[in-house]
Amino acid sequence: MGSGGPRSGWPLAGTLLVAVAASMVAGGEDCLWYVDRNGSWHPGFDCELFTFCCGTCQQRYCCRDPLRLLTERQQRHCRAF
């Protein structure tokens, strides 16, 4: 069969992409403890289902916008600096 036929890899690739995106959003990212611009310490908190940690190193909140996502790895990087 030609390109794009039922045996092509595109349906599988599309399914995997959707599954990865859904797990990223559904799994959520917890907001780890942080220190704000005033030097105040804030304890970590969990975001609800279908939300994740957003914001900056000095201000964190839960949101649904993937463009504002602040991963736990990025949050740990904040602590180092």
Side-chain angles (χ1 to χ4, degrees), residues 30-47 53-62 70-72 74-80:
D30 296 332
C31 288
L32 305 177
W33 68 267
Y34 67 98
V35 177
D36 66 20
R37 291 174 195 241
N38 297 323
S40 298
W41 181 84
H42 297 268
F45 52 93
D46 296 334
C47 293
C53 192
C54 299
T56 65
C57 289
Q58 295 84 26
Q59 181 182 11
R60 299 184 191 163
Y61 53 92
C62 297
L70 189 62
T71 66
E72 289 181 14
Q74 290 170 318
Q75 294 175 62
R76 285 190 293 275
H77 183 75
C78 290
R79 290 186 205 168

